[in-house]
Amino acid sequence: MILDYFIYSFIYLLYSYIKAFYNETWMERYGEPVPAQTATLLWSFTVSIFAIGGLLGALCVSAVIRVLGRKGTLLLNNSFAIIAALLLSLGEMSRSFEMLIIGRLIMGVDSGSALPMYLGEISPRHIRGSIGQFNSILICLGVFAGQVLGLPELLGQESRWNFLFAFLAVPAVLQLCVLPFLPESPRFLLIERRDEAAAEKAFQRFLGKEDVSEELEEVHAEARAQDNLNTVSVLQLLRNPAVRWQLITICITMACYQLCGLNAIWYYTNGILQKAGFDENLLPYITLSTGAIETVAAIVSGLVIEKIGRRPLLIFGFSAMAIFFSLLTVFLNFQDVVSWMPYLSYACILAVIASFCSGPGGIPFVLTGELFEQSFRPAAFMVAGIVNWLSNFAVGLLFPFIQESLQSFAFLVFVAVCVLGAVYLYIVLPETKNKTFMDISQSFARINKMPLPSAGQEMELVLSVNGKACDIKMESSF
């Protein structure tokens, strides 16, 4: 995931250089400057094509995972990253802005990966949220690393900007060296491949202990509950009433994750700093604060998620974003009147970023893995990915035009999205911390209008532990 936001931060950092490159290339080809509307369209397409690649990756990930497994899919993704790095870094030398656009597309395919699913399946339930938040932490580190490498002393110069993209290959090569030595997901091995010996070894390596019978029992229980279910297709998932509200919840959460307005913040940051009177040469150093606040907020969220829970952090994050977007709208409209108002605007930008990373920045991916049992999970990740990337594409393509039309009032659109998201999550989403996947599914049974097991009902489970069959009577906890 760090690769995705390396490139995401690069694109915004290099806005002026890339637009100048587009204009020069257009002049060389057609003998006239690129029309203003065409320039806006080209830039919008460059930004939004990343989401189209992500959508393609999300559409393919379920089938690829079924064949290659979680780890194999992650390994395959790195080849896309290396190809994208080559196209992006050589595009300027080849005088082809098409290479930049295609590189963005391929990098998007790489981003539609199995990483959140893999992290969710290898994590013990008492730290599943914290491990899942590594997604968000690495995203923030990717933004911050991009900002540092984009400093004028390093690669943030007109003569060097294309080399910045070459750094995308570094994490990809590192992953290709490390991932082969990591085990496959033990849940995938046990439930889908029926290889208990391999699953036991995988658990032992991940957890660093010999006795993993408790973890195997939990997976066996989930497997027996789904004995008559193979991995379902997207169509079967959409038709299944037992997971209807889990699916609705994931779709709304993923849509709000992209439509909440964080990406739009990058359009305003430099302009606000310029109006605050900061010297142009200081702007790259001051904007490092946005990457730093992202990283700190994500780390804090990862530390507290198992104590506070997913639901409160999500609701707090979206609610706080709505408040600070509202204040930012007010401050932007008065910043030409009051000399110190741009400083308040920039403080609101930092607050919006911190609010996003406190919950909405990483928890939607954690929830996608938690709300569905094994047979539904690949299809659920595909649906979540489709919603995620379609929403990302819509923001990347439409926001420049919305901003031109509404100016500073454009953020009120995001206020509405954040408020609606927070209200929905408050009403519908149950807490999932420290619960098994079966517990979480049962917590949705009432809203899905599915029958609940009676209180005190005993369930006879025949579990195979260390090769020995034993009957276990388990009091239902539902």
Side-chain angles (χ1 to χ4, degrees):
M1 288 297 288
I2 193 170
L3 284 171
D4 311 341
Y5 281 80
F6 249 76
I7 190 171
Y8 218 79
S9 60
F10 287 170
I11 284 294
Y12 287 105
L13 286 167
L14 303 176
Y15 170 80
S16 59
Y17 298 143
I18 292 175
K19 292 199 81 171
F21 164 62
Y22 283 7
N23 192 55
E24 290 169 10
T25 306
W26 194 277
M27 279 282 292
E28 291 170 5
R29 293 182 185 181
Y30 306 109
E32 61 181 16
V34 59
Q37 192 169 5
T38 303
T40 302
L41 183 61
L42 275 175
W43 174 250
S44 296
F45 199 62
T46 303
V47 172
S48 57
I49 196 69
F50 181 79
I52 296 298
L55 178 60
L56 292 174
L59 288 171
C60 299
V61 71
S62 180
V64 175
I65 280 175
R66 195 175 297 117
V67 176
L68 299 180
R70 277 56 163 164
K71 188 178 80 169
T73 303
L74 291 173
L75 285 166
L76 177 65
N77 275 343
N78 290 286
S79 62
F80 291 119
I82 292 171
I83 293 170
L86 289 171
L87 286 170
L88 288 162
S89 58
L90 297 176
E92 193 266 346
M93 186 184 303
S94 305
R95 311 306 293 168
S96 171
F97 55 75
E98 292 87 354
M99 288 179 67
L100 265 67
I101 294 172
I102 294 171
R104 287 273 293 168
L105 175 70
I106 295 174
M107 197 67 226
V109 174
D110 166 70
S111 70
S113 73
L115 179 60
M117 191 188 308
Y118 182 68
L119 290 177
E121 291 182 4
I122 67 174
S123 307
R125 67 173 181 267
H126 65 281
I127 57 168
R128 193 168 56 221
S130 296
I131 297 296
Q133 275 295 83
F134 271 102
N135 247 356
S136 181
I137 293 169
L138 291 177
I139 284 170
C140 297
L141 284 173
V143 172
F144 187 66
Q147 290 174 335
V148 171
L149 289 173
L151 292 173
E153 290 82 0
L154 298 176
L155 298 176
Q157 299 182 20
E158 190 169 4
S159 60
R160 301 178 186 172
W161 67 265
N162 55 315
F163 297 113
L164 198 55
F165 290 115
F167 276 84
L168 290 168
V170 175
V173 171
L174 180 63
Q175 288 180 57
L176 284 172
C177 294
V178 173
L179 276 173
F181 299 99
L182 296 179
E184 177 58 272
S185 160
R187 288 180 175 276
F188 172 78
L189 291 170
L190 185 56
I191 296 179
E192 297 186 35
R193 292 284 171 86
R194 308 291 182 180
D195 189 343
E196 182 167 349
E200 183 177 7
K201 289 180 181 177
F203 267 131
Q204 288 170 341
R205 287 189 62 189
F206 278 126
L207 302 178
K209 61 181 184 179
E210 287 297 317
D211 183 10
V212 293
S213 57
E214 184 180 346
E215 287 75 17
L216 286 172
E217 287 174 14
E218 181 184 320
V219 181
H220 271 300
E222 184 180 346
R224 295 189 187 285
Q226 303 179 74
D227 256 349
N228 297 322
L229 290 175
N230 296 315
T231 301
V232 303
S233 67
V234 170
L235 189 58
Q236 290 171 319
L237 177 71
L238 295 174
R239 288 176 173 175
N240 195 318
V243 292
R244 181 165 298 148
W245 280 96
Q246 290 97 307
L247 193 61
I248 293 171
T249 299
I250 286 303
C251 288
I252 290 176
T253 307
M254 278 296 180
C256 290
Y257 165 75
Q258 289 292 353
L259 300 176
C260 67
L262 186 79
N263 294 340
I265 284 292
W266 307 114
Y267 285 96
Y268 272 89
T269 303
N270 280 353
I272 288 173
L273 289 172
Q274 288 168 352
K275 289 190 177 183
F278 291 105
D279 187 273
E280 187 80 23
N281 295 327
L282 292 176
L283 295 186
Y285 306 97
I286 297 172
T287 53
L288 286 177
S289 60
T290 60
I293 199 73
E294 276 188 307
T295 305
V296 171
I299 292 172
V300 170
S301 177
L303 293 173
V304 303
I305 187 172
E306 297 300 344
K307 295 180 180 179
I308 297 177
R310 287 71 155 146
R311 183 172 177 270
L313 287 176
L314 273 175
I315 294 169
F316 166 79
F318 282 126
S319 301
M321 288 182 76
I323 292 169
F324 289 118
F325 270 135
S326 301
L327 291 173
L328 179 59
T329 302
V330 174
F331 296 153
L332 287 175
N333 281 282
F334 284 97
Q335 68 179 12
D336 293 328
V337 179
V338 183
S339 61
W340 44 264
M341 197 64 73
Y343 295 98
L344 292 180
S345 297
Y346 189 63
C348 280
I349 285 177
L350 295 179
V352 166
I353 291 170
S355 301
F356 176 81
C357 292
S358 68
I363 294 177
F365 298 98
V366 176
L367 283 181
T368 305
E370 288 186 331
L371 297 191
F372 298 90
E373 294 174 15
Q374 189 78 15
S375 59
F376 297 106
R377 201 169 292 133
F381 267 92
M382 180 184 289
V383 173
I386 291 170
V387 173
N388 178 32
W389 293 112
L390 283 177
S391 302
N392 184 295
F393 177 78
V395 171
L397 185 65
L398 298 178
F399 182 75
F401 299 100
I402 294 172
Q403 191 268 329
E404 286 180 6
S405 301
L406 300 179
Q407 297 299 318
S408 57
F409 290 101
F411 289 115
L412 294 179
V413 175
F414 305 123
V415 170
V417 171
C418 291
V419 169
L420 291 174
V423 170
Y424 175 86
L425 293 169
Y426 179 80
I427 294 172
V428 175
L429 182 67
E431 184 50 67
T432 62
K433 69 174 182 178
N434 204 26
K435 291 184 179 180
T436 67
F437 295 120
M438 290 181 66
D439 291 336
I440 295 166
S441 293
Q442 285 298 322
S443 66
F444 275 94
R446 185 171 290 103
I447 192 171
N448 283 323
K449 297 182 179 178
M450 301 299 292
L452 281 166
S454 58
Q457 179 183 2
E458 289 190 343
M459 298 188 304
E460 293 278 347
L461 296 178
V462 181
L463 301 176
S464 177
V465 181
N466 295 326
K468 296 180 180 180
C470 57
D471 291 339
I472 296 180
K473 284 192 175 183
M474 181 184 293
E475 284 287 326
S476 173
S477 60
F478 308 133

